[in-house]
Amino acid sequence: MTTFGFIGTGHLGSMLVKQFVGSGAIQAERVLASNRTAEKVDLLAEATGIRSVSNRVVTELSDVIFICVRPLEVRDVLSDVTYLLNSQKLVVSVAGDVSLEKLQSFCPARLARAFPSMASLKLQGVTLLVFGDNTTAEDQRLIAGLFNAIGQAVEVEEKDFAVLADLTSSAPGYFAALMREFVLAAERRGISPELAERLVKQTLLGTALLLEEESFAGLIESVATIGGITEVGVKVIQREAPGMFDQLFQATEARHEQVRKKVDLIRKV
Ligand SMILES: NC(=O)c1ccc[n+]([C@@H]2O[C@H](COP(=O)([O-])OP(=O)(O)OC[C@H]3O[C@@H](n4cnc5c(N)ncnc54)[C@H](OP(=O)(O)O)[C@@H]3O)[C@@H](O)[C@H]2O)c1
């Protein structure tokens, strides 16, 4: 029986524990978790039935260890428990901008990276996965199976991670920001923001369901009939949005580069 450990139970770590246990993908008694601020993991343990322990105990007793701390904290967390890590253990890091190569330089375990989405709170969305050369086919099946239980797991190339994370993990925030601008524009035309938000949210949910069977281009074609009102609006978006999305990718890539440089500079004291 595999034992699963989670180091870091902030937003993402606690979501993963709750959803893996809640969906039945992992039994609560097979889960150990730790967090710098112990009260946080104690509350999670109370709510889910998992065990709250220290980083050392998580590492010692778990076969699969999810590292759910921020990118600049990964090296310190792993360095403190390196002596307990070996090729018998699988470490799955969810930290952005800490490459497999970097992880391998201070972690003698089998390694994978996962980049989940908060949409897994609704058992939807995508988790990006990349596996180290030292993982086995069984590791890959196990990890993909876990994330498929709380959304959709997609294995990708590590070089594409940052752009793909914009499309998956960050996208709920981008979609919400875009829709909020839509609502605010309606408000500037005298519509109450509460009404506009309610209508847009419901329409967004319906649109997502239509897209289960339809491409973006196909949906545009069926809604924006030639010569109609929607076509005029679609043309405005097609004129204005490319520059905005190119700027978005440029801005996030610059931010990734800053974090990568900081990660490279970190040394264990
Ligand atoms: N949030 C997302 O949507 C998302 C999506 C994909 C990937 N990620 C990745 O997930 C990671 C965590 O993000 P987050 O949003 O969950 O951040 P967060 O809410 O700040 O959680 C980080 C957690 O790590 C704990 N921690 C820090 N140092 C520790 C240590 N030495 N030992 C044990 N626990 C320690 C913190 O404890 P304290 O309670 O003491 O602060 C905190 O609870 C990041 O690397 C991020 O790139 C996040």
Side-chain angles (χ1 to χ4, degrees):
M1 287 281 269
T2 307
T3 299
F4 296 90
F6 292 79
I7 297 182
T9 56
H11 294 100
L12 194 82
S14 62
M15 185 278 280
L16 289 180
V17 169
K18 280 183 194 152
Q19 297 306 84
F20 285 147
V21 170
S23 66
I26 307 181
Q27 292 171 313
E29 52 272 29
R30 308 302 314 165
V31 179
L32 303 165
S34 58
N35 192 67
R36 182 173 55 196
T37 307
E39 292 75 24
K40 215 190 253 181
V41 65
D42 289 345
L43 285 174
L44 182 67
E46 252 173 60
T48 58
I50 65 156
R51 273 181 293 164
S52 161
V53 293
S54 64
N55 289 2
R56 186 185 60 75
V57 174
V58 166
T59 314
E60 197 168 6
L61 300 186
S62 304
D63 307 295
V64 179
I65 302 149
F66 289 89
I67 304 296
C68 305
V69 300
R70 295 187 177 197
L72 300 183
E73 297 161 337
V74 171
R75 179 191 278 265
D76 279 357
V77 165
L78 285 175
S79 298
D80 284 342
V81 294
T82 298
Y83 69 104
L84 296 166
L85 291 168
N86 53 49
S87 61
Q88 299 301 304
K89 304 218 182 240
L90 173 63
V91 165
V92 183
S93 164
V94 303
D97 297 315
V98 188
S99 65
L100 284 174
E101 188 185 359
K102 192 86 201 157
L103 289 165
Q104 201 72 77
S105 71
F106 46 81
C107 178
R110 308 195 308 283
L111 284 171
R113 290 178 66 192
F115 213 75
S117 153
M118 292 305 268
S120 279
L121 272 173
K122 295 286 178 192
L123 305 181
Q124 297 290 340
V126 172
T127 296
L128 303 174
L129 294 178
V130 56
F131 294 103
D133 293 339
N134 54 3
T135 54
T136 63
E138 181 49 36
D139 291 335
Q140 297 176 15
R141 259 195 306 276
L142 175 70
I143 299 305
L146 287 181
F147 285 105
N148 273 327
I150 62 167
Q152 203 177 105
V154 180
E155 191 180 343
V156 298
E157 288 190 50
E158 192 174 26
K159 67 175 177 51
D160 298 330
F161 231 59
V163 174
L164 297 179
D166 266 337
L167 296 184
T168 56
S169 186
S170 303
Y174 299 154
F175 295 156
L178 272 175
M179 292 307 106
R180 177 141 175 77
E181 290 306 321
F182 204 9
V183 164
L184 293 175
E187 189 186 4
R188 291 195 289 278
R189 279 150 187 83
I191 306 295
S192 96
E194 293 76 22
L195 176 64
E197 179 155 335
R198 180 157 65 85
L199 299 185
V200 169
K201 277 163 81 172
Q202 196 53 40
T203 305
L204 195 59
L205 282 169
T207 307
L209 294 176
L210 287 174
L211 286 167
E212 281 188 325
E213 285 138 32
E214 186 59 282
S215 67
F216 288 125
L219 188 57
I220 291 169
E221 200 185 318
S222 63
V223 180
T225 46
I226 292 168
I229 299 294
T230 311
E231 188 195 31
V232 176
V234 166
K235 281 188 173 154
V236 173
I237 291 172
Q238 288 169 337
R239 190 177 65 230
E240 300 296 328
M244 184 185 76
F245 281 112
D246 283 339
Q247 278 185 47
L248 182 152
F249 279 116
Q250 280 161 13
T252 57
E253 182 48 42
R255 180 75 186 126
H256 283 298
E257 198 46 44
Q258 281 175 356
V259 178
R260 278 184 216 122
K261 280 189 180 145
K262 284 187 188 165
V263 167
D264 282 346
L265 287 174
I266 290 180
R267 293 282 175 276
K268 178 91 178 110
V269 284

